[in-house]
Amino acid sequence: DAGVTQSPTHLIKTRGQQVTLRCSPKSGHDTVSWYQQALGQGPQFIFQYYEEEERQRGNFPDRFSGHQFPNYSSELNVNALLLGDSALYLCASSSPGQPEETQYFGPGTRLLVL
Amino acid sequence: AQSVTQLGSHVSVSEGALVLLRCNYSSSVPPYLFWYVQYPNQGLQLLLKYTSAATLVKGINGFEAEFKKSETSFHLTKPSAHMSDAAEYFCAVSGPGSARQLTFGSGTQLTVLP
């Protein structure tokens, strides 16, 4: 049973560029959430996708956008990169079949903005 | 708004000693609570979860946590630490509403001394 997968594992960009990160959910899951984890901090919720729509959004600017595909995989796009966007980006998948919707995390994509 | 406080950003124990990692939460609704572990350069792995069934929850790798509503606490314990337990531990509370976004604490780095 494949878990949550993310690509790429590492990425280096320069300020002002745009980046796309990808996530495939755990088998049987249809909901994908994205989190940003800055160095030495806990993860911060960016947004969640369900049925190809953004269901909820955290306190992140519009430079952060996403998409969910019919196969439930998802992309996170960040435009006009800032140095402060350097972080580990985590994808988590869940299923609304459980009331608590336990989230299972992928290994993350480490983004460095120079 | 939901929040999580983890007391002690760094905890050191000797191998074989009791592990106690503290977590207090704030929630306007009955919470779902989680402990995740993060090994260096990896994503988050679910240790255990509280979903309003038994207040004493057992997880993987010998960890357990007790939900105490009167103290708004969900502390993580393990009777005997092993070197392989060295990692960062995050407590999280699940948000209200349909998205069930996770709000994380700032994490506790556990060091196990030989």
Side-chain angles (χ1 to χ4, degrees), chain A residues 51-68:
Chain A
E51 293 188 341
E52 302 181 47
E53 292 195 358
E54 184 182 289
R55 185 158 75 168
Q56 190 160 334
R57 188 179 185 89
N59 189 25
F60 278 80
D62 291 344
R63 299 187 296 110
F64 290 77
S65 63
H67 188 77
Q68 185 177 35

Side-chain angles (χ1 to χ4, degrees), chain B residues 47-66:
Chain B
L47 274 179
L48 49 78
K49 60 183 177 182
Y50 168 74
T51 60
S52 76
T55 56
L56 183 61
V57 180
K58 295 187 183 299
I60 63 172
N61 302 337
F63 284 93
E64 62 182 37
E66 185 172 8

Side-chain angles (χ1 to χ4, degrees), chain B residues 59-76:
Chain B
I60 63 172
N61 302 337
F63 284 93
E64 62 182 37
E66 185 172 8
F67 173 71
K68 292 187 176 180
K69 184 178 179 181
S70 60
E71 299 177 8
T72 61
S73 68
F74 190 56
H75 302 330
L76 182 71

Side-chain angles (χ1 to χ4, degrees), chain A residues 6-53:
Chain A
Q6 293 186 243
S7 64
T9 56
H10 295 81
L11 207 51
I12 300 175
K13 292 286 187 179
T14 57
R15 281 178 297 174
Q17 286 189 310
Q18 177 264 344
V19 68
T20 297
L21 310 182
R22 296 176 176 81
C23 172
S24 291
K26 185 177 169 68
S27 178
H29 287 181
D30 56 9
T31 303
V32 173
S33 301
W34 287 93
Y35 292 81
Q36 180 195 65
Q37 185 179 19
L39 198 61
Q41 298 182 24
Q44 299 287 319
F45 176 74
I46 302 175
F47 43 53
Q48 184 182 89
Y49 277 83
Y50 172 67
E51 293 188 341
E52 302 181 47
E53 292 195 358

Side-chain angles (χ1 to χ4, degrees), chain A residues 35-111:
Chain A
Y35 292 81
Q36 180 195 65
Q37 185 179 19
L39 198 61
Q41 298 182 24
Q44 299 287 319
F45 176 74
I46 302 175
F47 43 53
Q48 184 182 89
Y49 277 83
Y50 172 67
E51 293 188 341
E52 302 181 47
E53 292 195 358
E54 184 182 289
R55 185 158 75 168
Q56 190 160 334
R57 188 179 185 89
N59 189 25
F60 278 80
D62 291 344
R63 299 187 296 110
F64 290 77
S65 63
H67 188 77
Q68 185 177 35
F69 299 93
N71 67 352
Y72 309 124
S73 66
S74 177
E75 289 182 349
L76 164 66
N77 301 292
V78 187
N79 295 322
L81 284 167
L82 304 174
L83 296 180
D85 295 332
S86 296
L88 179 68
Y89 288 86
L90 295 164
C91 169
S93 72
S94 57
S95 168
Q98 297 173 315
E100 79 280 3
E101 297 188 30
T102 300
Q103 295 189 22
Y104 295 88
F105 285 80
T109 294
R110 189 164 296 280
L111 172 65

